[in-house]
Amino acid sequence: MTYGELVTLGEQKLKEANINDSKIDAFLLFEHIFGISKSKYLLIKYDEIREELRDKLDEFDEKLQLRCLNIPLQHITGIQEFMGMDFVVNKNVLIPRQDTEILVENAVLTITEEIEKENPRLLDMCTGSGCIAISLTKICKLQNTIAVDYSNAALEVAKENNQKHSTQINFINSDLFTSLNGEMFDIIVSNPPYIRTEDIRELMPEVKDFEPMMALDGTSDGLEFYRKITKESKKHLNDGGFLLYEIGFDQGKDVKSIMKDNGFDNIEIIKDLSGLDRVVKGHKA
Ligand code: GLN
């Protein structure tokens, strides 16, 4: 059998199990298990699979079976790339999304162009895997980052990523701000749970059956965390500080008015690459 035939076979198995992205996922599993990149694969596609790689065929098959059960690809490989960095993930954290890179990119701009301060202090609220805190801290060379989550299991993953990327972030278990008495920041970022409870059943099985509900469920109107975090953020932001959120595509107006009601100004709604509202940013006067 050739490498190309193997990948096509994988793709067919996933397709038969009605897996979206069967082509991409079959290749990504192949790449993960065989350690063969796309560019190398294109060159050897028509070659017979080398003898010493044959023992990997079983592993490929086993992992395809898992993917056929709708288990997210990233739970099988244990890795998701975000902002050009690899993050360890498991069932206890939300898998980093490309949409969330919009939040990080805008936070980078805010830190480099608007916060006129040496060593600004960053807080990442509801950090999950730590991908936002870690990528921002690395890109902006921050030295004072705190990241918070309510889930100890998520914090274990975040701490592993902290080590992996040699960042010295202080990961803290806290129910929102309760364990952050007196801590002040120049910028607060958050991708809180924001899916309306009744919309959860509409999500893909990969998400609703395998990702942590706690990271998704934003209560009945999806806005509870924005209300709580915005109210508390006022007390933890230095004057001139910024609050940036990831939001769902239809939450821009509501989150903007929550920020406005809490005294934030210069509130902006920022779109993602598909033209959908994705980030809300506010300034503490
Ligand atoms: N954007 C995520 C999704 O589509 C949800 C993230 C969140 O609730 N913070 O599933």
Side-chain angles (χ1 to χ4, degrees):
M1 192 170 24
T2 66
Y3 294 100
E5 285 164 349
L6 180 68
V7 172
T8 306
L9 210 67
E11 184 187 332
Q12 280 162 0
K13 280 189 186 162
L14 296 182
K15 217 176 193 154
E16 276 161 29
N18 288 318
I19 301 299
N20 290 335
D21 300 328
S22 51
K23 194 176 177 130
I24 297 169
D25 282 11
F27 178 76
L28 290 173
L29 273 180
F30 167 82
E31 180 179 42
H32 172 71
I33 292 161
F34 289 83
I36 293 173
S37 67
K38 188 92 196 190
S39 49
K40 174 113 189 273
Y41 168 73
L42 292 173
L43 292 173
I44 62 166
K45 193 171 168 182
Y46 302 104
D47 295 355
E48 285 293 313
I49 297 170
R50 290 215 323 264
E51 193 62 44
E52 65 268 31
L53 290 177
R54 297 252 167 94
D55 56 351
K56 295 198 182 279
L57 291 174
D58 284 345
E59 188 186 348
F60 186 55
D61 203 50
E62 278 160 28
K63 294 195 166 165
L64 281 168
Q65 299 298 343
L66 296 177
R67 187 69 193 91
C68 285
L69 300 172
N70 288 314
I71 295 176
L73 180 82
Q74 297 86 343
H75 288 180
I76 302 169
T77 61
I79 292 286
Q80 172 62 39
E81 188 260 4
F82 180 81
M83 296 301 293
M85 302 161 70
D86 278 344
F87 288 89
V88 173
V89 296
N90 64 24
K91 63 176 173 32
N92 299 314
V93 297
L94 196 74
I95 298 165
R97 314 296 209 239
Q98 208 176 3
D99 292 331
T100 305
E101 294 187 351
I102 307 288
L103 173 65
V104 173
E105 286 163 16
N106 280 283
V108 170
L109 287 175
T110 304
I111 292 167
T112 54
E113 294 180 4
E114 295 186 82
I115 299 179
E116 288 154 10
K117 200 171 193 178
E118 291 278 303
N119 294 326
R121 289 199 90 200
L122 166 70
L123 170 68
D124 177 19
M125 180 51 74
C126 309
T127 193
S129 67
C131 67
I132 298 171
I134 293 170
S135 57
L136 259 176
T137 297
K138 258 212 123 88
I139 295 167
C140 297
K141 303 190 171 62
L142 302 177
Q143 293 171 16
N144 273 308
T145 303
I146 292 183
V148 162
D149 208 279
Y150 188 42
S151 157
N152 277 318
L155 287 168
E156 270 178 42
V157 177
K159 285 175 186 167
E160 193 176 339
N161 283 317
N162 197 26
Q163 271 200 334
K164 185 176 164 76
H165 294 293
S166 313
T167 36
Q168 264 98 46
I169 295 166
N170 192 2
F171 284 97
I172 295 176
N173 178 277
S174 177
D175 185 0
L176 299 179
F177 287 89
T178 46
S179 304
L180 292 178
N181 259 335
E183 296 281 0
M184 296 300 287
F185 302 93
D186 300 297
I187 175 165
I188 299 176
V189 296
S190 182
N191 175 19
Y194 60 67
I195 313 280
R196 281 179 211 92
T197 307
E198 69 169 82
D199 291 347
I200 286 175
R201 58 193 153 97
E202 319 278 333
L203 300 175
M204 300 188 314
E206 279 82 349
V207 180
K208 69 174 178 215
D209 297 339
F210 296 98
E211 294 208 72
M213 205 41 71
M214 189 180 158
L216 296 167
D217 191 343
T219 74
S220 60
D221 70 353
L223 298 169
E224 192 60 14
F225 288 89
Y226 298 113
R227 281 189 286 265
K228 287 186 172 162
I229 296 169
T230 307
K231 187 161 174 259
E232 288 300 310
S233 283
K234 278 188 298 190
K235 303 178 201 155
H236 291 271
L237 271 177
N238 291 320
D239 290 345
F242 291 87
L243 173 60
L244 281 88
Y245 285 122
E246 174 171 323
I247 56 159
F249 72 96
D250 55 356
Q251 294 174 321
K253 274 205 184 97
D254 289 330
V255 175
K256 185 174 175 174
S257 79
I258 292 170
M259 280 202 196
K260 209 169 159 212
D261 292 346
N262 281 281
F264 284 85
D265 64 12
N266 297 342
I267 304 164
E268 282 176 62
I269 301 175
I270 298 156
K271 291 186 188 302
D272 64 20
L273 301 174
S274 329
L276 301 173
D277 291 348
R278 183 56 64 191
V279 167
V280 180
K281 168 180 165 182
H283 170 259
K284 185 182 169 187

